[in-house]
Amino acid sequence: MDRRGSRGEPPSELPTPCAHCPLLCPDSHMDARGYKWVRWRVWLCRVLALLTGGLLALLFYWRPRLGVLARGSPCPLAMADVLLIQDSGNKQHVVKVHTEEMEEGSWEMLGELDDNESRDTVQLYQQDQKTLLRYYILDGLRYVWLDRKESFVRVSILNEDWTCQDLHGFQKGLSPQEQIFRRRVYGSNLIDVPVKSYIQLLFEEVLNPFYIFQLASIILWMSDHYYYYAVCIIVISLISIGVSLYEIRKQSVTLHNMARLVVDVKIRKSSGEEQIVSSVDLVPGDCVLIPAEGLLLPCDAALLSGECLVNESMLTGESVPVLKTPLPAGDQRYNSETERRYTLFCGTQVIQGKGGGLEGSPAVAVVTSTGFFTAKGNLVSSILYPQDSDFRFNRDASKFLLFLGVIACMGTIYSILLFIKYNASLKDIFVRSLDIVTIVVPPALPAAITTATIYAQKRLKNLNVFCISPPRINISGKVSVFCFDKTGTLTEDGLDVWGIMEGNSVGFSELVPDPSLLHPGPMLSALACCHTLTLLHGNPVGDPLELKMVESTGWTLDEPLGNRHTTDSEFGGHRILAMMNPPSQKHTTALAIVRRFAFSSALQRMSVVTVTPGRQSVVAFLKGSPEMVASLCKEETVPAQFTTTLSKFSKDGLRVLALGYKPIALDMDLNTIQREEVEKDLHFLGLLMMKNLVKTETPGVINMLKLACLRTIMVTGDNILTAVNVAKNCGMIGSDERVIFVKASPHTPQSRPTLRYSLEDDGAAAQDNVEVITHGLYQSGYNYHLAINGKSFAALSDYFPEELPKVLMRTTVFARMAPNQKTQLVKELRKLKYRVGMCGDGANDCGALRAADVGISLSEAEASVASPFTSKIQNISCVPLLIREGRCSLVTSFSLFRYVAMYSLIQFCSVLILYTMRTNLADLQFLFFDLVLVTVLAIVMGKGGPSNALHTSRPPASLWSLPVLGSLLIHTLLIILGQTGVILFTRAQDWYVPLNGTTPGENNWPNIEDTSLFAVSGFQYIFMAVVVTKAHPHKKPLYHNGWFLILLVLFSGLMIWLVMYPLPFVRVLLSLYNVEDMSFKFVLVGFSALNFFTCLLMEMLIDLGLLNSLRLLRGRRQSKKPYKRLDSQLSESSSWPPLNQTLLPSHNIVRLLS
């Protein structure tokens, strides 16, 4: 039988796929199972849904997986109608497989895409001479069936193997047939955020389990004649639903408008014709023409000719425009992340475009990604479909609801037995027993604990810290390590030129403090020309470092205007990107920049090619990290003192760059010259030192975090010695603490991987001194910090994985880190169960900011999709501010959770006691407690702000901890004692008349038992709000929450009035018994006060550690968090780190290498 059933597709030489097959995704592994609808099962489920009154359909709506299992049968993925998918986060999805009919001949067109064995083709299914494409959409991303992979994969895999040379080949444009076919395969170029109608939103909201529970409760209350209460809950629910629908739709419309981008663009066809089309119709491979006035990019594209000045603030939060240069042709695989300087990203604004050809010609780019596969689409997808945060508080809240459900079941069983004993009717048994469930499981619990987050978000916004992911606020309260970018975050954005040192084979010259004092020559020309600055409205814009560098030379930037041919002819007929004019007093000629190779974080360098008038000479200039520049220069031109000089300046905290130059043959074709040819065999020119001052706020914030026992880490792309110096200046590394450099080398054909821990060279590294220091380290005589650079970090990760966690535990400075390494670092720290915070300017930190538990982007924008938090405060003072708010919000969430839980338990106890005496609380009594007392108090409880200082301890996140569960248990017992004591005291009165045991429920109102419990439980609702409200050390004292205090006094006075002197109509309204014994009333108030002080005293003793003594019974246990266990092991180690020893990889790694 054919492996695809009855579809009759062409057979394959590959093995038959099973129903359980991995999805080969570029960034995650998902597990998929295929199912095919079985007609008789589908109809059976429809009939059962009707017979159950829609309950089966509701169950399938809540649990789609059950619906698929009930109506379908397992089948190979190739013939599935629906898929069950489990992603890497164990989240399950149900997706429908779509089929689309393709035009005849599409199969042959696909063959054109498959040039070699490494490329895949889409398997199109031919059924009855029809060609079908099979795909599904998940989280906005399209997945298509690949025959060779035997699975569904992201459609972007079809263009992931494109090389830079391939992209240059698309400059001729696509044919109309190719465009139509690719549009069918890739889908429309649209980041479409659906905006649902109010009817659809209402349907989804009402079918939420919370509202289904509310609806069932209302029906139950109506049947029990609780009309007032039921009507009030209906009104409140309708208002809640209305507000929720308005907010959801408002947010959807806002995100829809932000994400949706439809503009007209000009493309080039294969015939050479230029055509204006809608951006919705763009497909990967389309050749787009960028006009001089700019364009709002509707896709990701690689720039192939010309230059573009781009504002990327929407994506990165970085407001400085970036100059994009043409992508060099080559056989290397194109990657938008590694080739960022040549990539125009969707959603960014091209401010200015310059053509690469004749005057007036536009810049040319080729579309590489569309829709949700673009950089903007990826960010929008992360907002629409956020990953579930593995936060213990959220997990425990769900478990605690189940725990309350168990208590409700116990109460229900007790009620059933009680009413059977009283020979109650079946209706009374049913209604009363289910009423217990509505009391114990509070439907308002999830909403109540979010109020703390809402208040915190509002306070943060007032302090210019904006949040697009409110659940992260509570998580920020548990942050245990915070990573910081250096430049622009810990230090000032701007750099000032500190000095220049020219160098050659003889050595370095004297330090020149001002570049304008340099004599005309290659060094001055390199400083003036080696940049990517451009003019915008007559003003130079670009990297602040390059602006300072060029400004210090006194040279001016000019760009060709008017007759381009005339200008070009003056410089040998080359297309001029920019001209650098020397000051009039300098006896030197202008230089024209004709080629630029933009700076790359991975390459750590940039270069330009310049031409003098008349093309008398052609010179290339290089600027970059000193180590990289020195490695590209001829060895004989690099001063022998290079390493020591660089070390000296770096230790002084200076930002050091090196420059080099290279004469180029006059007959060389500068239009086709490759970067590799330009950037080799250069002559070393010297060093440029720039001073990057630490921001005035930085040391104080770092000290505050350290005093709060929060670990701080620096992650930078700068030199490791400079980074260590800045770490010392800002207080990350103390003056009495040692720095140990971690140096790891990768495997090469000539050598094996090695790892070495070396003390910093401070002139005192004699062997005997090293031995003393080593002994001191192992005996905790010295505090030490590790420092590592990007190359060593990569080698450590690849060849010494067993050492990586130890290094992560003790490293404070990560230098020369590429953007992807910053992201990797954050992920590795999270693997150790750290709660990781990251603070950066958003430019090179986007990946790390999004990977962290809490990411803060320092940006002028009010909200950036670069990270969950955006701060307009342009320094790291926003970090302790956010942590304090997070801790306050988490503590408040705990208090609210405990209060709502205690409210349920108080009412649960009251009702069960009254059930025992064949009565219950009156309808308006329930209403008074639930809506007047509890709801209002719960709303204002969260208004208390954070304390002004960071405490050394972090608030707990577990609801299942001994103090939380112990306090709830103790308070519940005290509540039961209080209520039982009041009933016993009431029955002991001389004037007490027992209830009529033959008359149930409301026929017994008013009665003294109900009135007594109303009095004491009313006070319990009020004072329990005080007992569970925590302040010190993470919140301001209770008296700072003015509204809460006013309501406590007001409600206490109201309850005293209702107990002591209720007006007749109020007494009738609330069904209260008329008690004339004033001494009895005073005892009720006093009894409640005693109950309050007893609960308050027990809470204070629990806070002081009363229950911690019980932990001694189970013995001391190791922490479940890997970083705490590892920290304990390293603190007790007498041999780590092994100083000045060369380590080799483990045997397993060696076997892999061999």
Side-chain angles (χ1 to χ4, degrees):
M1 181 178 175
D2 188 275
R3 68 182 175 91
R4 297 182 180 91
S6 61
R7 291 192 176 272
E9 293 85 356
S12 171
E13 67 281 2
L14 295 175
T16 302
C18 62
H20 179 222
C21 182
L23 285 169
L24 305 175
C25 299
D27 57 354
S28 65
H29 292 281
M30 297 192 293
D31 188 65
R33 295 175 184 270
Y35 289 83
K36 191 171 182 61
W37 296 128
V38 179
R39 185 171 298 177
W40 69 266
R41 289 190 181 185
V42 173
W43 279 104
L44 178 61
C45 288
R46 290 175 180 173
V47 172
L48 290 175
L50 288 174
L51 295 176
T52 58
L55 290 180
L56 184 64
L58 187 63
L59 177 64
F60 289 167
Y61 176 79
W62 288 341
R63 293 289 182 266
R65 180 175 177 271
L66 296 179
V68 173
L69 295 175
R71 292 174 291 180
S73 62
C75 69
L77 293 180
M79 57 186 298
D81 295 321
V82 66
L83 299 178
L84 286 182
I85 296 176
Q86 183 171 318
D87 60 23
S88 56
N90 294 324
K91 188 176 181 181
Q92 293 188 334
H93 309 266
V94 174
V95 294
K96 179 184 176 183
V97 177
H98 302 272
T99 58
E100 189 170 330
E101 187 175 340
M102 307 289 287
E103 289 79 3
E104 189 175 351
S106 297
W107 180 266
E108 289 77 10
M109 194 171 298
L110 273 173
E112 295 177 11
L113 294 176
D114 189 13
D115 296 332
N116 54 60
E117 290 296 319
S118 66
R119 301 190 185 184
D120 289 298
T121 60
V122 178
Q123 174 65 59
L124 300 177
Y125 298 96
Q126 297 176 347
Q127 178 182 9
D128 300 329
Q129 304 303 317
K130 293 181 180 178
T131 305
L132 298 177
L133 171 70
R134 296 174 60 78
Y135 68 92
Y136 70 86
I137 297 174
L138 177 64
D139 292 351
L141 303 177
R142 177 178 287 217
Y143 295 76
V144 295
W145 176 262
L146 285 191
D147 188 50
R148 294 186 178 179
K149 300 287 189 184
E150 282 297 309
S151 66
F152 288 93
V153 297
R154 290 187 178 185
V155 69
S156 59
I157 200 173
L158 297 175
N159 52 286
E160 282 181 351
D161 286 327
W162 283 353
T163 64
C164 297
Q165 189 63 48
D166 291 336
L167 291 176
H168 277 272
F170 285 117
Q171 286 194 71
K172 65 180 186 297
L174 299 176
S175 67
Q177 293 79 13
E178 287 177 313
Q179 288 177 324
I180 292 172
F181 167 68
R182 292 182 186 226
R183 200 171 299 129
R184 289 285 185 88
V185 176
Y186 287 96
S188 299
N189 175 34
L190 203 60
I191 305 173
D192 193 18
V193 177
V195 178
K196 299 175 182 177
S197 66
Y198 279 110
I199 298 297
Q200 188 176 1
L201 288 173
L202 178 63
F203 179 77
E204 293 179 356
E205 191 78 6
V206 169
L207 291 184
N208 185 293
F210 165 75
Y211 287 111
I212 294 294
F213 182 70
Q214 284 279 50
L215 179 61
S217 301
I218 289 170
I219 294 173
L220 182 70
W221 297 327
M222 286 286 194
S223 66
D224 200 26
H225 309 298
Y226 283 0
Y227 298 120
Y228 291 122
Y229 189 76
V231 169
C232 286
I233 295 299
I234 290 173
V235 172
I236 291 172
S237 297
L238 289 176
I239 294 173
S240 175
I241 290 174
V243 172
S244 177
L245 295 187
Y246 173 77
E247 288 296 330
I248 291 173
R249 185 171 170 82
K250 180 182 175 183
Q251 292 173 8
S252 296
V253 170
T254 302
L255 191 57
H256 174 84
N257 295 337
M258 183 196 81
R260 188 180 177 88
L261 176 58
V262 180
V263 295
D264 290 334
V265 295
K266 183 180 287 188
I267 64 170
R268 180 183 295 158
K269 292 188 173 182
S270 58
S271 61
E273 176 189 358
E274 295 179 357
Q275 180 185 9
I276 296 178
V277 299
S278 171
S279 60
V280 177
D281 297 327
L282 291 177
V283 294
D286 266 330
C287 181
V288 179
L289 307 178
I290 310 293
E293 63 273 14
L295 174 72
L296 186 60
L297 263 297
C299 60
D300 284 357
L303 186 62
L304 301 184
S305 92
E307 292 182 338
C308 291
L309 188 64
V310 185
N311 181 355
E312 295 186 335
S313 60
M314 198 284 294
L315 290 181
T316 65
E318 177 58 58
S319 57
V320 177
V322 180
L323 183 67
K324 304 287 184 173
T325 55
L327 175 73
D331 294 331
Q332 72 273 19
R333 180 177 168 183
Y334 170 79
N335 182 287
S336 61
E337 284 302 312
T338 57
E339 315 291 351
R340 290 185 68 90
R341 294 306 292 258
Y342 317 115
T343 303
L344 306 173
F345 292 103
C346 178
T348 60
Q349 177 70 54
V350 176
I351 303 172
Q352 187 176 23
K354 301 177 185 177
L358 299 175
E359 181 183 357
S361 62
V364 178
V366 166
V367 178
T368 57
S369 298
T370 57
F372 276 95
F373 290 100
T374 61
K376 179 181 178 181
N378 183 37
L379 295 175
V380 172
S381 180
S382 67
I383 298 173
L384 278 177
Y385 315 103
Q387 291 185 350
D388 294 333
S389 59
D390 183 26
F391 193 43
R392 190 168 183 178
F393 178 78
N394 299 333
R395 297 197 312 269
D396 288 355
S398 302
K399 294 177 182 177
F400 198 83
L401 282 175
L402 294 176
F403 172 69
L404 291 178
V406 172
I407 294 178
C409 290
M410 295 169 60
T412 300
I413 294 171
Y414 174 78
S415 301
I416 292 173
L417 296 176
L418 196 63
F419 283 105
I420 290 175
K421 176 184 175 182
Y422 292 149
N423 297 317
S425 65
L426 287 176
K427 178 190 174 184
D428 282 344
I429 294 174
F430 179 77
V431 171
R432 296 300 178 200
S433 58
L434 289 183
D435 198 26
I436 290 293
V437 178
T438 66
I439 291 172
V440 180
V441 182
L445 184 58
I449 59 179
T450 61
T451 58
T453 304
I454 294 171
Y455 283 125
Q457 186 178 11
K458 185 178 179 180
R459 288 193 296 265
L460 285 170
K461 186 176 180 180
N462 292 335
L463 296 170
N464 287 322
V465 178
F466 303 91
C467 174
I468 62 172
S469 180
R472 301 287 184 111
I473 295 177
N474 274 358
I475 297 176
S476 66
K478 291 294 291 182
V479 166
S480 48
V481 58
F482 229 101
C483 303
F484 296 92
D485 180 35
K486 183 179 76 70
T487 306
T489 303
L490 297 173
T491 61
E492 298 288 351
D493 276 319
L495 295 101
D496 294 317
V497 175
W498 188 80
I500 296 94
M501 264 190 151
E502 294 186 86
N504 50 42
S505 56
V506 178
F508 283 102
S509 65
E510 292 293 325
L511 179 72
V512 178
D514 188 350
S516 62
L517 301 176
L518 289 171
H519 295 292
M523 186 63 175
L524 183 59
S525 299
L527 292 171
C529 298
C530 202
H531 58 78
T532 55
L533 302 180
T534 188
L535 291 179
L536 180 63
H537 306 307
N539 298 314
V541 293
D543 188 287
L545 182 149
E546 294 181 339
L547 284 169
K548 284 285 187 181
M549 180 183 74
V550 174
E551 180 186 339
S552 68
T553 64
W555 289 47
T556 56
L557 171 66
D558 194 13
E559 292 181 345
L561 298 172
N563 192 327
R564 191 64 165 270
H565 298 287
T566 303
T567 308
D568 288 356
S569 62
E570 296 177 8
F571 292 88
H574 295 290
R575 186 182 67 86
I576 296 175
L577 301 177
M579 289 187 296
M580 298 304 301
N581 300 309
S584 56
Q585 65 272 22
K586 292 282 184 180
H587 301 290
T588 185
T589 58
L591 293 174
I593 302 172
V594 295
R595 288 296 300 274
R596 280 190 181 117
F597 299 100
F599 175 80
S600 165
S601 297
L603 298 177
Q604 300 179 15
R605 62 183 184 271
M606 65 86 58
S607 58
V608 296
V609 178
T610 64
V611 177
T612 56
R615 194 172 176 171
Q616 296 177 0
S617 65
V618 179
V619 181
F621 295 106
L622 178 82
K623 174 177 97 270
S625 70
E627 302 91 339
M628 179 57 69
V629 172
S631 69
L632 297 173
C633 290
K634 295 179 179 179
E635 188 176 349
E636 62 271 16
T637 68
V638 180
Q641 307 88 351
F642 170 80
T643 303
T644 55
T645 304
L646 173 62
S647 176
K648 175 181 177 297
F649 288 127
S650 298
K651 284 184 176 181
D652 290 338
L654 297 172
R655 176 79 178 271
V656 185
L657 298 174
L659 298 101
Y661 82 104
K662 173 183 178 179
I664 294 179
L666 296 177
D667 58 352
M668 179 70 70
D669 185 356
L670 301 184
N671 293 321
T672 59
I673 191 170
Q674 298 297 308
R675 183 169 194 159
E676 293 76 14
E677 179 63 28
V678 171
E679 297 176 347
K680 70 174 185 180
D681 299 329
L682 293 104
H683 297 269
F684 187 82
L685 278 174
L687 300 175
L688 166 66
M689 281 71 69
M690 306 193 81
K691 189 70 174 177
N692 191 203
L693 299 175
V694 173
K695 291 181 178 179
T696 54
E697 301 85 358
T698 298
V701 172
I702 296 297
N703 183 57
M704 185 189 305
L705 296 177
K706 290 181 72 175
L707 290 175
C709 296
L710 283 168
R711 185 181 166 198
T712 56
I713 292 176
M714 182 192 299
V715 191
T716 178
D718 209 342
N719 178 277
I720 191 168
L721 295 176
T722 303
V724 168
N725 180 273
V726 172
K728 290 180 177 179
N729 289 339
C730 69
M732 282 189 180
I733 300 175
S735 57
D736 58 339
E737 296 175 326
R738 293 283 177 174
V739 177
I740 299 174
F741 293 99
V742 183
K743 299 176 182 177
S745 60
H747 175 73
T748 66
Q750 295 80 25
S751 63
R752 300 171 65 185
T754 60
L755 174 64
R756 188 176 178 86
Y757 299 90
S758 305
L759 277 168
E760 62 179 326
D761 182 15
D762 58 358
Q767 184 60 36
D768 55 345
N769 195 33
V770 169
E771 292 176 358
V772 171
I773 293 171
T774 304
H775 179 75
L777 286 176
Y778 298 150
Q779 300 301 321
S780 299
Y782 290 103
N783 289 326
Y784 67 91
H785 298 261
L786 302 184
I788 189 172
N789 61 26
K791 287 183 178 179
S792 294
F793 180 75
L796 184 73
S797 302
D798 292 339
Y799 303 107
F800 300 90
E802 72 284 351
E803 287 287 305
L804 180 61
K806 301 176 187 177
V807 171
L808 292 176
M809 284 298 303
R810 292 293 184 258
T811 302
T812 300
V813 174
F814 292 85
R816 289 283 187 243
M817 297 286 280
N820 63 316
Q821 288 182 315
K822 294 181 180 181
T823 306
Q824 181 188 352
L825 170 63
V826 170
K827 290 180 177 179
E828 293 292 341
L829 288 170
R830 292 190 64 183
K831 286 180 183 178
L832 295 175
K833 297 303 179 184
Y834 271 115
R835 285 291 175 191
V836 184
M838 175 73 196
C839 183
D841 56 15
N844 294 318
D845 315 304
C846 288
L849 289 170
R850 293 196 299 272
D853 292 290
V854 178
I856 311 177
S857 173
L858 305 183
S859 172
E860 290 293 336
E862 181 169 308
S864 167
V865 291
S867 64
F869 297 93
T870 304
S871 171
K872 280 190 175 182
I873 306 171
Q874 295 300 297
N875 57 68
I876 64 171
S877 61
C878 60
V879 171
L881 177 68
L882 176 60
I883 295 174
R884 286 191 290 111
E885 283 290 357
R887 291 182 174 184
C888 173
S889 175
L890 186 57
V891 169
T892 305
S893 296
F894 259 83
S895 298
L896 283 166
F897 189 96
R898 295 172 63 205
Y899 179 62
V900 176
M902 284 305 306
Y903 141 69
S904 297
L905 293 172
I906 290 171
Q907 200 164 90
F908 173 70
C909 296
S910 300
V911 170
L912 283 187
I913 291 173
L914 292 175
Y915 274 4
T916 306
M917 294 180 291
R918 299 211 67 184
T919 187
N920 196 4
L921 292 171
D923 191 4
L924 291 182
Q925 290 176 0
F926 276 118
L927 198 64
F928 175 75
F929 288 151
D930 292 355
L931 300 185
V932 178
L933 294 186
V934 176
T935 301
V936 176
L937 285 174
I939 289 173
V940 299
M941 272 178 69
K943 289 183 67 68
S947 62
N948 295 323
L950 277 176
H951 197 262
T952 54
S953 65
R954 292 175 294 147
S958 174
L959 291 169
W960 289 96
S961 62
L962 186 61
V964 175
L965 292 179
S967 67
L968 285 177
L969 177 61
I970 291 172
H971 292 321
T972 303
L973 292 175
L974 291 174
I975 292 297
I976 294 172
L977 286 175
Q979 294 185 4
T980 306
V982 165
I983 292 295
L984 294 176
F985 176 72
T986 301
R987 288 188 167 188
Q989 301 304 306
D990 296 336
W991 43 260
Y992 171 74
V993 178
L995 277 173
N996 185 353
T998 61
T999 306
E1002 62 275 6
N1003 296 327
N1004 273 325
W1005 295 328
N1007 59 72
I1008 186 59
E1009 288 89 348
D1010 166 59
T1011 302
S1012 299
L1013 273 186
F1014 171 83
V1016 72
S1017 61
F1019 282 112
Q1020 287 173 341
Y1021 293 127
I1022 297 170
F1023 72 65
M1024 196 50 68
V1026 178
V1027 171
V1028 301
T1029 298
K1030 299 291 184 183
H1032 180 79
H1034 304 299
K1035 285 185 65 176
K1036 289 181 179 178
L1038 189 64
Y1039 54 79
H1040 283 274
N1041 190 347
W1043 280 108
F1044 187 49
L1045 281 180
I1046 291 172
L1047 286 173
L1048 285 175
V1049 174
L1050 181 65
F1051 287 160
S1052 298
L1054 178 61
M1055 280 304 304
I1056 292 173
W1057 174 69
L1058 288 175
V1059 173
M1060 303 294 294
Y1061 307 104
L1063 294 177
F1065 84 92
V1066 174
R1067 192 169 60 243
V1068 172
L1069 190 67
L1070 293 176
S1071 302
L1072 298 176
Y1073 186 82
N1074 184 19
V1075 181
E1076 297 179 356
D1077 187 349
M1078 290 299 294
S1079 61
F1080 175 77
K1081 295 179 182 181
F1082 276 112
V1083 171
L1084 285 181
V1085 175
F1087 207 92
S1088 300
L1090 178 63
N1091 199 191
F1092 163 57
F1093 286 113
T1094 306
C1095 289
L1096 185 63
L1097 177 62
M1098 291 306 301
E1099 185 68 19
M1100 293 172 63
L1101 291 175
I1102 291 170
D1103 287 342
L1104 293 173
L1106 174 67
L1107 297 178
N1108 290 336
S1109 57
L1110 297 178
R1111 292 177 177 171
L1112 299 176
L1113 299 176
R1114 71 176 187 184
R1116 185 177 180 181
R1117 294 183 182 179
Q1118 275 195 332
S1119 172
K1120 294 180 180 179
K1121 295 182 178 179
Y1123 81 88
K1124 289 188 176 181
R1125 296 199 304 268
L1126 189 56
D1127 181 60
S1128 177
Q1129 293 170 13
L1130 294 180
S1131 299
E1132 297 171 0
S1133 173
S1134 60
S1135 59
W1136 199 92
L1139 293 180
N1140 295 340
Q1141 299 178 32
T1142 302
L1143 307 180
L1144 298 175
S1146 65
H1147 294 296
N1148 292 334
I1149 301 295
V1150 172
R1151 278 200 299 271
L1152 288 174
L1153 293 175
S1154 60

